PDB file of all heavy atoms in Angstrom:
ATOM      1  N   GLY A 283     -82.928  38.925  32.490  1.00  0.00           N
ATOM      2  CA  GLY A 283     -83.996  37.934  32.517  1.00  0.00           C
ATOM      3  C   GLY A 283     -85.369  38.448  32.152  1.00  0.00           C
ATOM      4  O   GLY A 283     -86.338  37.701  32.154  1.00  0.00           O
ATOM      5  N   ARG A 284     -85.475  39.716  31.807  1.00  0.00           N
ATOM      6  CA  ARG A 284     -86.785  40.311  31.534  1.00  0.00           C
ATOM      7  C   ARG A 284     -87.293  40.114  30.117  1.00  0.00           C
ATOM      8  O   ARG A 284     -88.468  40.314  29.848  1.00  0.00           O
ATOM      9  CB  ARG A 284     -86.747  41.807  31.830  1.00  0.00           C
ATOM     10  CG  ARG A 284     -86.536  42.111  33.274  1.00  0.00           C
ATOM     11  CD  ARG A 284     -86.565  43.593  33.497  1.00  0.00           C
ATOM     12  NE  ARG A 284     -86.088  43.903  34.838  1.00  0.00           N
ATOM     13  CZ  ARG A 284     -85.798  45.109  35.249  1.00  0.00           C
ATOM     14  NH1 ARG A 284     -85.948  46.133  34.434  1.00  0.00           N
ATOM     15  NH2 ARG A 284     -85.382  45.306  36.459  1.00  0.00           N
ATOM     16  N   MET A 285     -86.399  39.746  29.201  1.00  0.00           N
ATOM     17  CA  MET A 285     -86.808  39.668  27.798  1.00  0.00           C
ATOM     18  C   MET A 285     -86.288  38.373  27.168  1.00  0.00           C
ATOM     19  O   MET A 285     -85.129  38.014  27.331  1.00  0.00           O
ATOM     20  CB  MET A 285     -86.234  40.872  27.039  1.00  0.00           C
ATOM     21  CG  MET A 285     -86.885  41.146  25.718  1.00  0.00           C
ATOM     22  SD  MET A 285     -88.598  41.700  25.826  1.00  0.00           S
ATOM     23  CE  MET A 285     -88.470  43.222  26.738  1.00  0.00           C
ATOM     24  N   LEU A 286     -87.179  37.690  26.479  1.00  0.00           N
ATOM     25  CA  LEU A 286     -86.817  36.530  25.675  1.00  0.00           C
ATOM     26  C   LEU A 286     -86.765  37.013  24.239  1.00  0.00           C
ATOM     27  O   LEU A 286     -87.760  37.518  23.708  1.00  0.00           O
ATOM     28  CB  LEU A 286     -87.855  35.418  25.833  1.00  0.00           C
ATOM     29  CG  LEU A 286     -87.706  34.202  24.919  1.00  0.00           C
ATOM     30  CD1 LEU A 286     -86.397  33.461  25.205  1.00  0.00           C
ATOM     31  CD2 LEU A 286     -88.902  33.268  25.090  1.00  0.00           C
ATOM     32  N   TRP A 287     -85.603  36.879  23.610  1.00  0.00           N
ATOM     33  CA  TRP A 287     -85.411  37.305  22.222  1.00  0.00           C
ATOM     34  C   TRP A 287     -85.383  36.066  21.335  1.00  0.00           C
ATOM     35  O   TRP A 287     -84.593  35.150  21.590  1.00  0.00           O
ATOM     36  CB  TRP A 287     -84.093  38.058  22.078  1.00  0.00           C
ATOM     37  CG  TRP A 287     -84.072  39.382  22.756  1.00  0.00           C
ATOM     38  CD1 TRP A 287     -83.693  39.646  24.039  1.00  0.00           C
ATOM     39  CD2 TRP A 287     -84.447  40.634  22.182  1.00  0.00           C
ATOM     40  NE1 TRP A 287     -83.806  40.980  24.300  1.00  0.00           N
ATOM     41  CE2 TRP A 287     -84.265  41.613  23.171  1.00  0.00           C
ATOM     42  CE3 TRP A 287     -84.923  41.005  20.925  1.00  0.00           C
ATOM     43  CZ2 TRP A 287     -84.546  42.956  22.941  1.00  0.00           C
ATOM     44  CZ3 TRP A 287     -85.193  42.345  20.702  1.00  0.00           C
ATOM     45  CH2 TRP A 287     -85.003  43.300  21.705  1.00  0.00           C
ATOM     46  N   LEU A 288     -86.244  36.024  20.327  1.00  0.00           N
ATOM     47  CA  LEU A 288     -86.297  34.884  19.418  1.00  0.00           C
ATOM     48  C   LEU A 288     -86.371  35.366  17.976  1.00  0.00           C
ATOM     49  O   LEU A 288     -87.049  36.353  17.679  1.00  0.00           O
ATOM     50  CB  LEU A 288     -87.528  34.011  19.694  1.00  0.00           C
ATOM     51  CG  LEU A 288     -87.615  33.357  21.064  1.00  0.00           C
ATOM     52  CD1 LEU A 288     -88.983  32.707  21.246  1.00  0.00           C
ATOM     53  CD2 LEU A 288     -86.506  32.342  21.251  1.00  0.00           C
ATOM     54  N   SER A 289     -85.696  34.659  17.088  1.00  0.00           N
ATOM     55  CA  SER A 289     -85.854  34.965  15.669  1.00  0.00           C
ATOM     56  C   SER A 289     -87.216  34.428  15.221  1.00  0.00           C
ATOM     57  O   SER A 289     -87.709  33.443  15.761  1.00  0.00           O
ATOM     58  CB  SER A 289     -84.727  34.339  14.844  1.00  0.00           C
ATOM     59  OG  SER A 289     -84.693  32.936  15.012  1.00  0.00           O
ATOM     60  N   GLY A 290     -87.809  35.106  14.246  1.00  0.00           N
ATOM     61  CA  GLY A 290     -89.091  34.689  13.666  1.00  0.00           C
ATOM     62  C   GLY A 290     -88.805  34.104  12.292  1.00  0.00           C
ATOM     63  O   GLY A 290     -88.953  34.776  11.273  1.00  0.00           O
ATOM     64  N   ARG A 291     -88.397  32.873  12.272  1.00  0.00           N
ATOM     65  CA  ARG A 291     -87.809  32.212  11.111  1.00  0.00           C
ATOM     66  C   ARG A 291     -88.549  32.449   9.796  1.00  0.00           C
ATOM     67  O   ARG A 291     -87.952  32.770   8.793  1.00  0.00           O
ATOM     68  CB  ARG A 291     -87.723  30.703  11.397  1.00  0.00           C
ATOM     69  CG  ARG A 291     -87.177  29.866  10.259  1.00  0.00           C
ATOM     70  CD  ARG A 291     -85.672  29.943  10.216  1.00  0.00           C
ATOM     71  NE  ARG A 291     -85.096  29.214   9.116  1.00  0.00           N
ATOM     72  CZ  ARG A 291     -84.651  27.980   9.169  1.00  0.00           C
ATOM     73  NH1 ARG A 291     -84.736  27.290  10.274  1.00  0.00           N
ATOM     74  NH2 ARG A 291     -84.109  27.423   8.119  1.00  0.00           N
ATOM     75  N   PHE A 292     -89.843  32.263   9.774  1.00  0.00           N
ATOM     76  CA  PHE A 292     -90.582  32.324   8.505  1.00  0.00           C
ATOM     77  C   PHE A 292     -91.320  33.646   8.291  1.00  0.00           C
ATOM     78  O   PHE A 292     -92.042  33.804   7.319  1.00  0.00           O
ATOM     79  CB  PHE A 292     -91.565  31.159   8.407  1.00  0.00           C
ATOM     80  CG  PHE A 292     -90.925  29.835   8.694  1.00  0.00           C
ATOM     81  CD1 PHE A 292     -91.413  28.999   9.676  1.00  0.00           C
ATOM     82  CD2 PHE A 292     -89.795  29.429   7.996  1.00  0.00           C
ATOM     83  CE1 PHE A 292     -90.803  27.778   9.947  1.00  0.00           C
ATOM     84  CE2 PHE A 292     -89.175  28.219   8.261  1.00  0.00           C
ATOM     85  CZ  PHE A 292     -89.682  27.392   9.245  1.00  0.00           C
ATOM     86  N   ASP A 293     -91.148  34.573   9.231  1.00  0.00           N
ATOM     87  CA  ASP A 293     -91.903  35.827   9.169  1.00  0.00           C
ATOM     88  C   ASP A 293     -91.030  37.073   9.086  1.00  0.00           C
ATOM     89  O   ASP A 293     -91.539  38.190   9.221  1.00  0.00           O
ATOM     90  CB  ASP A 293     -92.853  35.899  10.366  1.00  0.00           C
ATOM     91  CG  ASP A 293     -93.913  34.819  10.287  1.00  0.00           C
ATOM     92  OD1 ASP A 293     -94.843  34.977   9.485  1.00  0.00           O
ATOM     93  OD2 ASP A 293     -93.793  33.801  10.998  1.00  0.00           O
ATOM     94  N   ASP A 294     -89.726  36.892   8.900  1.00  0.00           N
ATOM     95  CA  ASP A 294     -88.798  38.017   8.707  1.00  0.00           C
ATOM     96  C   ASP A 294     -88.839  39.015   9.859  1.00  0.00           C
ATOM     97  O   ASP A 294     -88.779  40.232   9.652  1.00  0.00           O
ATOM     98  CB  ASP A 294     -89.077  38.730   7.383  1.00  0.00           C
ATOM     99  CG  ASP A 294     -89.070  37.779   6.193  1.00  0.00           C
ATOM    100  OD1 ASP A 294     -88.411  36.720   6.261  1.00  0.00           O
ATOM    101  OD2 ASP A 294     -89.736  38.087   5.184  1.00  0.00           O
ATOM    102  N   VAL A 295     -88.934  38.489  11.070  1.00  0.00           N
ATOM    103  CA  VAL A 295     -88.984  39.351  12.257  1.00  0.00           C
ATOM    104  C   VAL A 295     -88.121  38.762  13.374  1.00  0.00           C
ATOM    105  O   VAL A 295     -87.705  37.601  13.324  1.00  0.00           O
ATOM    106  CB  VAL A 295     -90.425  39.534  12.795  1.00  0.00           C
ATOM    107  CG1 VAL A 295     -91.312  40.225  11.783  1.00  0.00           C
ATOM    108  CG2 VAL A 295     -91.027  38.204  13.228  1.00  0.00           C
ATOM    109  N   VAL A 296     -87.916  39.582  14.391  1.00  0.00           N
ATOM    110  CA  VAL A 296     -87.365  39.149  15.666  1.00  0.00           C
ATOM    111  C   VAL A 296     -88.433  39.455  16.700  1.00  0.00           C
ATOM    112  O   VAL A 296     -89.083  40.502  16.635  1.00  0.00           O
ATOM    113  CB  VAL A 296     -86.042  39.890  15.990  1.00  0.00           C
ATOM    114  CG1 VAL A 296     -85.652  39.731  17.440  1.00  0.00           C
ATOM    115  CG2 VAL A 296     -84.921  39.403  15.079  1.00  0.00           C
ATOM    116  N   TYR A 297     -88.633  38.537  17.634  1.00  0.00           N
ATOM    117  CA  TYR A 297     -89.617  38.742  18.695  1.00  0.00           C
ATOM    118  C   TYR A 297     -88.892  39.134  19.974  1.00  0.00           C
ATOM    119  O   TYR A 297     -87.900  38.512  20.345  1.00  0.00           O
ATOM    120  CB  TYR A 297     -90.414  37.462  18.970  1.00  0.00           C
ATOM    121  CG  TYR A 297     -91.100  36.906  17.758  1.00  0.00           C
ATOM    122  CD1 TYR A 297     -90.662  35.722  17.182  1.00  0.00           C
ATOM    123  CD2 TYR A 297     -92.190  37.554  17.190  1.00  0.00           C
ATOM    124  CE1 TYR A 297     -91.288  35.200  16.060  1.00  0.00           C
ATOM    125  CE2 TYR A 297     -92.818  37.044  16.067  1.00  0.00           C
ATOM    126  CZ  TYR A 297     -92.361  35.859  15.508  1.00  0.00           C
ATOM    127  OH  TYR A 297     -92.985  35.353  14.398  1.00  0.00           O
ATOM    128  N   ALA A 298     -89.413  40.152  20.639  1.00  0.00           N
ATOM    129  CA  ALA A 298     -88.962  40.540  21.972  1.00  0.00           C
ATOM    130  C   ALA A 298     -90.145  40.249  22.885  1.00  0.00           C
ATOM    131  O   ALA A 298     -91.193  40.892  22.785  1.00  0.00           O
ATOM    132  CB  ALA A 298     -88.585  42.016  22.006  1.00  0.00           C
ATOM    133  N   ILE A 299     -89.987  39.244  23.747  1.00  0.00           N
ATOM    134  CA  ILE A 299     -91.113  38.778  24.560  1.00  0.00           C
ATOM    135  C   ILE A 299     -90.826  39.061  26.032  1.00  0.00           C
ATOM    136  O   ILE A 299     -89.816  38.610  26.580  1.00  0.00           O
ATOM    137  CB  ILE A 299     -91.343  37.271  24.333  1.00  0.00           C
ATOM    138  CG1 ILE A 299     -91.596  37.003  22.838  1.00  0.00           C
ATOM    139  CG2 ILE A 299     -92.498  36.777  25.198  1.00  0.00           C
ATOM    140  CD1 ILE A 299     -91.596  35.540  22.461  1.00  0.00           C
ATOM    141  N   ASP A 300     -91.717  39.808  26.652  1.00  0.00           N
ATOM    142  CA  ASP A 300     -91.600  40.142  28.066  1.00  0.00           C
ATOM    143  C   ASP A 300     -91.805  38.863  28.884  1.00  0.00           C
ATOM    144  O   ASP A 300     -92.859  38.233  28.781  1.00  0.00           O
ATOM    145  CB  ASP A 300     -92.652  41.194  28.427  1.00  0.00           C
ATOM    146  CG  ASP A 300     -92.542  41.676  29.852  1.00  0.00           C
ATOM    147  OD1 ASP A 300     -92.534  40.842  30.784  1.00  0.00           O
ATOM    148  OD2 ASP A 300     -92.482  42.901  30.043  1.00  0.00           O
ATOM    149  N   THR A 301     -90.821  38.472  29.688  1.00  0.00           N
ATOM    150  CA  THR A 301     -90.906  37.205  30.422  1.00  0.00           C
ATOM    151  C   THR A 301     -91.818  37.291  31.647  1.00  0.00           C
ATOM    152  O   THR A 301     -92.099  36.268  32.265  1.00  0.00           O
ATOM    153  CB  THR A 301     -89.511  36.716  30.853  1.00  0.00           C
ATOM    154  OG1 THR A 301     -88.883  37.714  31.667  1.00  0.00           O
ATOM    155  CG2 THR A 301     -88.646  36.399  29.652  1.00  0.00           C
ATOM    156  N   THR A 302     -92.290  38.472  31.969  1.00  0.00           N
ATOM    157  CA  THR A 302     -93.236  38.611  33.073  1.00  0.00           C
ATOM    158  C   THR A 302     -94.672  38.497  32.585  1.00  0.00           C
ATOM    159  O   THR A 302     -95.498  37.821  33.191  1.00  0.00           O
ATOM    160  CB  THR A 302     -93.046  39.978  33.781  1.00  0.00           C
ATOM    161  OG1 THR A 302     -91.694  40.082  34.217  1.00  0.00           O
ATOM    162  CG2 THR A 302     -93.964  40.106  34.973  1.00  0.00           C
ATOM    163  N   THR A 303     -94.948  39.145  31.446  1.00  0.00           N
ATOM    164  CA  THR A 303     -96.325  39.214  30.950  1.00  0.00           C
ATOM    165  C   THR A 303     -96.589  38.346  29.719  1.00  0.00           C
ATOM    166  O   THR A 303     -97.737  38.061  29.417  1.00  0.00           O
ATOM    167  CB  THR A 303     -96.679  40.660  30.574  1.00  0.00           C
ATOM    168  OG1 THR A 303     -95.844  41.060  29.456  1.00  0.00           O
ATOM    169  CG2 THR A 303     -96.470  41.616  31.739  1.00  0.00           C
ATOM    170  N   GLY A 304     -95.525  37.991  28.991  1.00  0.00           N
ATOM    171  CA  GLY A 304     -95.698  37.258  27.742  1.00  0.00           C
ATOM    172  C   GLY A 304     -96.033  38.153  26.564  1.00  0.00           C
ATOM    173  O   GLY A 304     -96.282  37.677  25.458  1.00  0.00           O
ATOM    174  N   LYS A 305     -96.043  39.478  26.778  1.00  0.00           N
ATOM    175  CA  LYS A 305     -96.341  40.414  25.693  1.00  0.00           C
ATOM    176  C   LYS A 305     -95.260  40.326  24.621  1.00  0.00           C
ATOM    177  O   LYS A 305     -94.071  40.324  24.924  1.00  0.00           O
ATOM    178  CB  LYS A 305     -96.436  41.841  26.217  1.00  0.00           C
ATOM    179  CG  LYS A 305     -96.791  42.841  25.147  1.00  0.00           C
ATOM    180  CD  LYS A 305     -96.894  44.241  25.699  1.00  0.00           C
ATOM    181  CE  LYS A 305     -97.199  45.188  24.541  1.00  0.00           C
ATOM    182  NZ  LYS A 305     -97.202  46.573  24.975  1.00  0.00           N
ATOM    183  N   VAL A 306     -95.699  40.244  23.374  1.00  0.00           N
ATOM    184  CA  VAL A 306     -94.799  40.055  22.233  1.00  0.00           C
ATOM    185  C   VAL A 306     -94.680  41.338  21.422  1.00  0.00           C
ATOM    186  O   VAL A 306     -95.690  41.944  21.055  1.00  0.00           O
ATOM    187  CB  VAL A 306     -95.314  38.923  21.310  1.00  0.00           C
ATOM    188  CG1 VAL A 306     -94.396  38.743  20.114  1.00  0.00           C
ATOM    189  CG2 VAL A 306     -95.461  37.618  22.084  1.00  0.00           C
ATOM    190  N   ARG A 307     -93.443  41.724  21.140  1.00  0.00           N
ATOM    191  CA  ARG A 307     -93.177  42.836  20.228  1.00  0.00           C
ATOM    192  C   ARG A 307     -92.440  42.263  19.029  1.00  0.00           C
ATOM    193  O   ARG A 307     -91.526  41.441  19.184  1.00  0.00           O
ATOM    194  CB  ARG A 307     -92.321  43.884  20.918  1.00  0.00           C
ATOM    195  CG  ARG A 307     -92.127  45.133  20.090  1.00  0.00           C
ATOM    196  CD  ARG A 307     -91.471  46.241  20.883  1.00  0.00           C
ATOM    197  NE  ARG A 307     -90.270  45.770  21.536  1.00  0.00           N
ATOM    198  CZ  ARG A 307     -89.121  46.435  21.594  1.00  0.00           C
ATOM    199  NH1 ARG A 307     -89.040  47.628  21.057  1.00  0.00           N
ATOM    200  NH2 ARG A 307     -88.090  45.938  22.205  1.00  0.00           N
ATOM    201  N   LYS A 308     -92.841  42.656  17.830  1.00  0.00           N
ATOM    202  CA  LYS A 308     -92.212  42.173  16.596  1.00  0.00           C
ATOM    203  C   LYS A 308     -91.339  43.279  16.003  1.00  0.00           C
ATOM    204  O   LYS A 308     -91.767  44.426  15.915  1.00  0.00           O
ATOM    205  CB  LYS A 308     -93.260  41.758  15.569  1.00  0.00           C
ATOM    206  CG  LYS A 308     -94.125  40.600  16.015  1.00  0.00           C
ATOM    207  CD  LYS A 308     -95.167  40.263  14.962  1.00  0.00           C
ATOM    208  CE  LYS A 308     -96.092  39.172  15.441  1.00  0.00           C
ATOM    209  NZ  LYS A 308     -97.090  38.793  14.427  1.00  0.00           N
ATOM    210  N   ILE A 309     -90.121  42.892  15.606  1.00  0.00           N
ATOM    211  CA  ILE A 309     -89.196  43.827  14.984  1.00  0.00           C
ATOM    212  C   ILE A 309     -88.857  43.289  13.604  1.00  0.00           C
ATOM    213  O   ILE A 309     -88.323  42.183  13.474  1.00  0.00           O
ATOM    214  CB  ILE A 309     -87.918  43.975  15.829  1.00  0.00           C
ATOM    215  CG1 ILE A 309     -88.279  44.441  17.242  1.00  0.00           C
ATOM    216  CG2 ILE A 309     -86.932  44.926  15.149  1.00  0.00           C
ATOM    217  CD1 ILE A 309     -87.166  44.275  18.251  1.00  0.00           C
ATOM    218  N   LYS A 310     -89.192  44.047  12.565  1.00  0.00           N
ATOM    219  CA  LYS A 310     -88.943  43.623  11.177  1.00  0.00           C
ATOM    220  C   LYS A 310     -87.437  43.563  10.923  1.00  0.00           C
ATOM    221  O   LYS A 310     -86.698  44.477  11.276  1.00  0.00           O
ATOM    222  CB  LYS A 310     -89.611  44.628  10.229  1.00  0.00           C
ATOM    223  CG  LYS A 310     -89.714  44.145   8.818  1.00  0.00           C
ATOM    224  CD  LYS A 310     -90.868  43.197   8.663  1.00  0.00           C
ATOM    225  CE  LYS A 310     -91.068  42.861   7.209  1.00  0.00           C
ATOM    226  NZ  LYS A 310     -91.499  41.500   7.002  1.00  0.00           N
ATOM    227  N   VAL A 311     -86.979  42.449  10.317  1.00  0.00           N
ATOM    228  CA  VAL A 311     -85.572  42.268   9.962  1.00  0.00           C
ATOM    229  C   VAL A 311     -85.502  41.684   8.555  1.00  0.00           C
ATOM    230  O   VAL A 311     -86.502  41.605   7.867  1.00  0.00           O
ATOM    231  CB  VAL A 311     -84.831  41.354  10.974  1.00  0.00           C
ATOM    232  CG1 VAL A 311     -84.799  41.995  12.356  1.00  0.00           C
ATOM    233  CG2 VAL A 311     -85.460  39.972  11.038  1.00  0.00           C
ATOM    234  N   GLY A 312     -84.324  41.235   8.157  1.00  0.00           N
ATOM    235  CA  GLY A 312     -84.147  40.642   6.835  1.00  0.00           C
ATOM    236  C   GLY A 312     -84.810  39.278   6.717  1.00  0.00           C
ATOM    237  O   GLY A 312     -85.447  38.776   7.640  1.00  0.00           O
ATOM    238  N   MET A 313     -84.613  38.668   5.559  1.00  0.00           N
ATOM    239  CA  MET A 313     -85.289  37.420   5.209  1.00  0.00           C
ATOM    240  C   MET A 313     -84.858  36.225   6.070  1.00  0.00           C
ATOM    241  O   MET A 313     -83.684  35.964   6.252  1.00  0.00           O
ATOM    242  CB  MET A 313     -84.993  37.117   3.741  1.00  0.00           C
ATOM    243  CG  MET A 313     -85.841  36.020   3.169  1.00  0.00           C
ATOM    244  SD  MET A 313     -85.622  35.985   1.382  1.00  0.00           S
ATOM    245  CE  MET A 313     -84.820  34.422   1.196  1.00  0.00           C
ATOM    246  N   GLU A 314     -85.832  35.542   6.603  1.00  0.00           N
ATOM    247  CA  GLU A 314     -85.700  34.281   7.344  1.00  0.00           C
ATOM    248  C   GLU A 314     -84.572  34.230   8.365  1.00  0.00           C
ATOM    249  O   GLU A 314     -83.664  33.403   8.276  1.00  0.00           O
ATOM    250  CB  GLU A 314     -85.577  33.115   6.361  1.00  0.00           C
ATOM    251  CG  GLU A 314     -86.822  32.916   5.540  1.00  0.00           C
ATOM    252  CD  GLU A 314     -86.807  31.636   4.727  1.00  0.00           C
ATOM    253  OE1 GLU A 314     -85.918  30.786   4.915  1.00  0.00           O
ATOM    254  OE2 GLU A 314     -87.713  31.490   3.900  1.00  0.00           O
ATOM    255  N   PRO A 315     -84.628  35.053   9.414  1.00  0.00           N
ATOM    256  CA  PRO A 315     -83.608  34.974  10.458  1.00  0.00           C
ATOM    257  C   PRO A 315     -83.684  33.631  11.172  1.00  0.00           C
ATOM    258  O   PRO A 315     -84.761  33.195  11.563  1.00  0.00           O
ATOM    259  CB  PRO A 315     -83.971  36.120  11.395  1.00  0.00           C
ATOM    260  CG  PRO A 315     -85.444  36.283  11.222  1.00  0.00           C
ATOM    261  CD  PRO A 315     -85.704  35.971   9.771  1.00  0.00           C
ATOM    262  N   HIS A 316     -82.565  32.957  11.296  1.00  0.00           N
ATOM    263  CA  HIS A 316     -82.593  31.622  11.873  1.00  0.00           C
ATOM    264  C   HIS A 316     -81.907  31.529  13.223  1.00  0.00           C
ATOM    265  O   HIS A 316     -82.043  30.554  13.930  1.00  0.00           O
ATOM    266  CB  HIS A 316     -81.981  30.609  10.908  1.00  0.00           C
ATOM    267  CG  HIS A 316     -82.078  29.197  11.416  1.00  0.00           C
ATOM    268  ND1 HIS A 316     -81.218  28.223  11.033  1.00  0.00           N
ATOM    269  CD2 HIS A 316     -82.923  28.600  12.290  1.00  0.00           C
ATOM    270  CE1 HIS A 316     -81.519  27.082  11.626  1.00  0.00           C
ATOM    271  NE2 HIS A 316     -82.565  27.293  12.399  1.00  0.00           N
ATOM    272  N   GLY A 317     -81.160  32.486  13.603  1.00  0.00           N
ATOM    273  CA  GLY A 317     -80.502  32.426  14.897  1.00  0.00           C
ATOM    274  C   GLY A 317     -80.428  33.806  15.501  1.00  0.00           C
ATOM    275  O   GLY A 317     -80.471  34.804  14.802  1.00  0.00           O
ATOM    276  N   LEU A 318     -80.355  33.844  16.806  1.00  0.00           N
ATOM    277  CA  LEU A 318     -80.240  35.111  17.492  1.00  0.00           C
ATOM    278  C   LEU A 318     -79.535  34.831  18.804  1.00  0.00           C
ATOM    279  O   LEU A 318     -79.914  33.917  19.530  1.00  0.00           O
ATOM    280  CB  LEU A 318     -81.629  35.683  17.742  1.00  0.00           C
ATOM    281  CG  LEU A 318     -81.711  37.093  18.291  1.00  0.00           C
ATOM    282  CD1 LEU A 318     -82.968  37.760  17.768  1.00  0.00           C
ATOM    283  CD2 LEU A 318     -81.693  37.114  19.784  1.00  0.00           C
ATOM    284  N   THR A 319     -78.499  35.571  19.083  1.00  0.00           N
ATOM    285  CA  THR A 319     -77.839  35.422  20.373  1.00  0.00           C
ATOM    286  C   THR A 319     -77.846  36.755  21.086  1.00  0.00           C
ATOM    287  O   THR A 319     -77.875  37.811  20.458  1.00  0.00           O
ATOM    288  CB  THR A 319     -76.399  34.876  20.218  1.00  0.00           C
ATOM    289  OG1 THR A 319     -75.906  34.509  21.509  1.00  0.00           O
ATOM    290  CG2 THR A 319     -75.471  35.875  19.587  1.00  0.00           C
ATOM    291  N   VAL A 320     -77.870  36.716  22.386  1.00  0.00           N
ATOM    292  CA  VAL A 320     -77.818  37.913  23.206  1.00  0.00           C
ATOM    293  C   VAL A 320     -76.377  38.016  23.689  1.00  0.00           C
ATOM    294  O   VAL A 320     -75.871  37.093  24.319  1.00  0.00           O
ATOM    295  CB  VAL A 320     -78.804  37.813  24.391  1.00  0.00           C
ATOM    296  CG1 VAL A 320     -78.706  39.023  25.295  1.00  0.00           C
ATOM    297  CG2 VAL A 320     -80.223  37.641  23.875  1.00  0.00           C
ATOM    298  N   SER A 321     -75.716  39.130  23.375  1.00  0.00           N
ATOM    299  CA  SER A 321     -74.282  39.212  23.627  1.00  0.00           C
ATOM    300  C   SER A 321     -73.932  39.626  25.048  1.00  0.00           C
ATOM    301  O   SER A 321     -72.830  40.037  25.306  1.00  0.00           O
ATOM    302  CB  SER A 321     -73.627  40.163  22.621  1.00  0.00           C
ATOM    303  OG  SER A 321     -74.129  41.465  22.820  1.00  0.00           O
ATOM    304  N   SER A 322     -74.863  39.518  25.950  1.00  0.00           N
ATOM    305  CA  SER A 322     -74.547  39.773  27.347  1.00  0.00           C
ATOM    306  C   SER A 322     -74.169  38.445  27.990  1.00  0.00           C
ATOM    307  O   SER A 322     -74.368  37.386  27.400  1.00  0.00           O
ATOM    308  CB  SER A 322     -75.768  40.375  28.036  1.00  0.00           C
ATOM    309  OG  SER A 322     -76.884  39.545  27.864  1.00  0.00           O
ATOM    310  N   PRO A 323     -73.644  38.475  29.194  1.00  0.00           N
ATOM    311  CA  PRO A 323     -73.234  37.203  29.817  1.00  0.00           C
ATOM    312  C   PRO A 323     -74.382  36.204  29.888  1.00  0.00           C
ATOM    313  O   PRO A 323     -75.504  36.564  30.214  1.00  0.00           O
ATOM    314  CB  PRO A 323     -72.797  37.622  31.220  1.00  0.00           C
ATOM    315  CG  PRO A 323     -72.498  39.082  31.109  1.00  0.00           C
ATOM    316  CD  PRO A 323     -73.403  39.618  30.045  1.00  0.00           C
TER     317      PRO A 323
END
């Protein structure tokens, strides 16, 4: 529950957002990621 992971559809990134502070980290990925799933339960 500590991290919200979201694709950055138009910016070629994935966001890792701390759910306590709202701090955003950007991770560069391929072109226009549209979905992201977390493979934990």
